[in-house]
Amino acid sequence: MAGEEEEEEEEEEENCSAAAPLRGRPQHYSRPVAAISTTAAVAVNKDDERPSRGKKQLPTAQPVYVLRGHSAQIHAVEFGLSNAQLITGDADGWLVVWDVAIKRPRRVWKAHDGAILGAAAWGNDRIISHGRDHKLRVWQMSTASSESALLSSKVLPIDDPHAHRPQPWLLHALDVNTLNFCAFSMCDQWPPASASGAGRFENAGDPPSPILVAVPGSMDSDGINVFQLPSEKRLHVIPADTSTKTGMVMALNIFHQTARLAVVAGYESGHAMVFLHDPAGPKWERLYAHQPHSQPVLSISITPDHGCFFTSSADATIAKHPLPLFPLPQTTTTTTTTPQSSSDTNNPLLLLPPPLQLRRSIQTKHAGQQGLSVRDDGKIFATAGWDARVRVYATKSMRELAVLKWHKEGCYATAFAKVTTTNNTSTPSTTTIVGDPTSSSSSPLKDDNDDDDDGSGIGSGVSSHREPVTPATTAVQRSRNAKTQSTHWLAVGSKDGKVSLWDLY
């Protein structure tokens, strides 16, 4: 059986790498680029000069697009609006919302006085940002026909870092702890399977469903606070584990495991822990704890099926941890046991199996891998390395599948486009994009240069000529948007202020 499983893993990895994870060469224009074969390119580690499986070596794969807009190192990248937009945040506090279809900025503003630790989209028209100025803010993104959107700036920080740019409408502002360098994590307040239908948007104009936001504790940096938005109330406090010296919280992930709320945390000591909320009260129970790292945990990511999670650290280790299924079914036995009270049998915390063990860990020989993210199909995950390389691994075997080398300085953040979720829940061609002239709420004008880039790879965002949108133009734009939103993008943010876009299959 073990031999059969190894053969299945090798076959899966062959299919994953042979399916051309990468294509294209450096692209600074909107016109298509001739694809290159990547079966060998992605499997060759140029530093080690190792040929891959005896195949002919081809030129190293390159990003399809490079977005140049930030003048400081990029700490946050995240896709939103069904992959129609890309949110990037840098060390100077700037946020840029990119239109992925035309590779141009749609909105630029300074969201924080300190470095941005994380950013994410909340629904169709809200963006959450977390800065080193001890603030977590929620911004209302206006439609293209509103006055504030017409006055918004598209001037990038690299072009003019000192010019004033109007901010979007500020809906919420929370005082949070950012001494840990730990970014926030969010999830819907209610499980997706609940009757309220949380997390699903039937119409573009519907308000987003309430969410929970996890951040390090304000009074105790070893603990965790959970807030609810839009009420801004603190609902849960997970105290520090007194039985283990963990240090500060360095990475968080909050999610629903069936009908239970769970939090995965990575600590300064290298520990990773899983906490489960008891629905009968405010108690949180620690279900799992392991220390696979000798250095602080830098990133955590959970597989889409919630079967396991991965951690990366300042050391060279990447670890794969188990996630138990909640609630656990009661086991039957023929032996006589002591009767349990009804309250005990209904408590899932008392039905847990023996302590879980670490599934697997690998020594990559490359210290400082952060920004770990798992693709939404659960087949691969990527890490951003301080050595300026992005590495792609198979989630099942944790085998290195690709090394992406383009940036000259260290990489800090990665994000996969959510193609599987997008294809299953929405129609990309009908998604309303803020500022998109094809949407019904947009102004009937378009940028003259939308179809052809100006050669910078980002576009200026300013048009000297306007022309009406014709039905043919609208059809082309919708087709372009649909193609862009269905592409398996991998976005990488680097210390050089650039964002590279890779096409992974």
Side-chain angles (χ1 to χ4, degrees):
M1 294 299 292
E4 294 178 359
E5 292 180 357
E6 292 179 359
E7 291 179 1
E8 291 179 358
E9 291 181 3
E10 292 181 358
E11 182 179 357
E12 179 183 351
E13 293 163 11
E14 289 282 355
N15 295 336
C16 185
S17 59
L22 305 168
R23 68 178 182 179
R25 52 184 170 84
Q27 169 84 355
H28 304 301
Y29 299 87
S30 293
R31 66 174 70 98
V33 182
I36 65 172
S37 174
T38 58
T39 304
V42 302
V44 172
N45 189 330
K46 193 172 182 180
D47 294 338
D48 299 336
E49 298 296 335
R50 297 196 307 261
S52 172
R53 306 183 183 100
K55 298 179 181 178
K56 182 180 178 181
Q57 296 187 30
L58 297 178
T60 304
Q62 298 289 311
V64 181
Y65 295 97
V66 175
L67 306 180
R68 296 174 171 88
H70 294 273
S71 58
Q73 57 196 31
I74 296 174
H75 288 168
V77 292
E78 187 70 26
F79 286 93
L81 204 63
S82 300
N83 306 326
Q85 68 182 16
L86 176 66
I87 308 166
T88 58
D90 64 26
D92 289 338
W94 290 96
L95 274 182
V96 179
V97 179
W98 303 86
D99 188 325
V100 180
I102 61 177
K103 316 302 182 294
R104 295 187 179 185
R106 284 299 184 186
R107 197 74 185 254
V108 181
W109 75 98
K110 191 165 186 179
H112 296 272
D113 294 331
I116 290 180
L117 298 176
W122 177 19
N124 294 318
D125 59 352
R126 299 181 186 185
I127 290 178
I128 304 176
S129 63
H130 186 190
R132 284 277 293 161
D133 55 359
H134 304 282
K135 297 291 184 181
L136 187 142
R137 291 170 173 159
V138 179
W139 309 90
Q140 174 75 54
M141 303 302 295
S142 305
T143 60
S145 58
S146 67
E147 182 180 356
S148 59
L150 297 175
L151 296 177
S152 64
S153 175
K154 300 178 183 178
V155 180
L156 292 164
I158 196 173
D159 296 327
D160 189 352
H162 305 293
H164 172 72
R165 298 167 178 81
Q167 294 180 336
W169 186 263
L170 182 61
L171 291 180
H172 308 284
L174 295 177
D175 293 324
V176 295
N177 177 20
T178 56
L179 296 176
N180 304 32
F181 294 92
C182 175
F184 76 99
S185 177
M186 59 178 280
C187 71
D188 290 318
Q189 183 176 5
W190 311 111
S194 66
S196 61
R200 300 184 181 275
F201 307 96
E202 297 181 357
N203 300 304
D206 291 345
S209 58
I211 60 172
L212 300 176
V213 176
V215 293
S218 300
M219 303 300 295
D220 183 5
S221 59
D222 299 356
I224 302 168
N225 290 341
V226 179
F227 293 88
Q228 194 264 8
L229 288 175
S231 69
E232 303 184 11
K233 294 181 179 179
R234 187 175 65 180
L235 299 185
H236 305 285
V237 176
I238 305 176
D241 193 322
T242 57
S243 63
T244 307
K245 188 176 181 181
T246 60
M248 297 188 300
V249 177
M250 301 298 294
L252 285 172
N253 201 309
I254 185 172
F255 61 101
H256 289 281
Q257 185 72 294
T258 63
R260 303 291 189 265
L261 185 64
V263 171
V264 177
Y267 292 88
E268 186 180 11
S269 62
H271 282 85
M273 296 185 178
V274 179
F275 300 91
L276 175 67
H277 179 242
D278 183 0
K283 184 179 179 181
W284 286 79
E285 186 77 10
R286 192 193 74 181
L287 302 182
Y288 170 82
H290 195 81
Q291 187 182 13
H293 304 285
S294 60
Q295 298 292 327
V297 175
L298 298 179
S299 57
I300 290 176
S301 187
I302 298 176
T303 55
D305 61 356
H306 293 176
C308 63
F309 69 96
F310 297 87
T311 57
S312 67
S313 169
D315 58 21
T317 302
I318 297 178
K320 183 178 183 180
H321 306 262
L323 273 177
L325 296 176
F326 310 129
L328 295 172
Q330 300 185 42
T331 57
T332 59
T333 178
T334 58
T335 60
T336 304
T337 59
T338 302
Q340 293 181 335
S341 64
S342 59
S343 60
D344 290 343
T345 57
N346 293 331
N347 189 348
L349 300 180
L350 300 178
L351 303 175
L352 296 174
L356 298 171
Q357 301 297 322
L358 181 71
R359 285 193 177 180
R360 188 174 182 180
S361 65
I362 58 173
Q363 293 294 328
T364 64
K365 300 181 181 180
H366 307 288
Q369 296 192 60
Q370 65 181 73
L372 191 152
S373 58
V374 180
R375 197 166 69 177
D376 65 342
D377 60 4
K379 294 182 179 180
I380 60 175
F381 67 91
T383 61
W386 295 350
D387 58 357
R389 276 113 170 132
V390 178
R391 293 176 171 83
V392 182
Y393 299 87
T395 56
K396 187 174 182 180
S397 64
M398 298 186 68
R399 185 171 181 176
E400 185 180 281
L401 301 178
V403 179
L404 313 181
K405 179 183 177 182
W406 183 85
H407 295 278
K408 303 301 181 183
E409 300 184 66
C411 299
Y412 295 149
T414 66
F416 281 105
K418 299 174 179 61
V419 179
T420 302
T421 305
T422 301
N423 292 339
N424 292 339
T425 59
S426 65
T427 303
S429 59
T430 60
T431 302
T432 302
I433 304 175
V434 176
D436 184 5
T438 65
S439 63
S440 59
S441 61
S442 300
S443 172
L445 298 175
K446 68 180 289 290
D447 288 346
D448 183 49
N449 296 326
D450 274 357
D451 293 328
D452 296 305
D453 248 358
D454 60 358
S456 64
I458 55 173
S460 62
V462 179
S463 174
S464 59
H465 175 68
R466 301 278 186 173
E467 62 181 21
V469 176
T470 64
T473 303
T474 301
V476 170
Q477 290 173 337
R478 291 188 180 277
S479 176
R480 178 180 59 193
N481 292 339
K483 180 179 179 180
T484 300
Q485 293 172 256
S486 61
T487 301
H488 288 255
W489 295 116
L490 170 63
V492 180
S494 172
K495 185 178 179 180
D496 57 16
K498 301 178 180 66
V499 178
S500 58
L501 288 176
W502 307 77
D503 186 357
L504 301 184
Y505 284 91

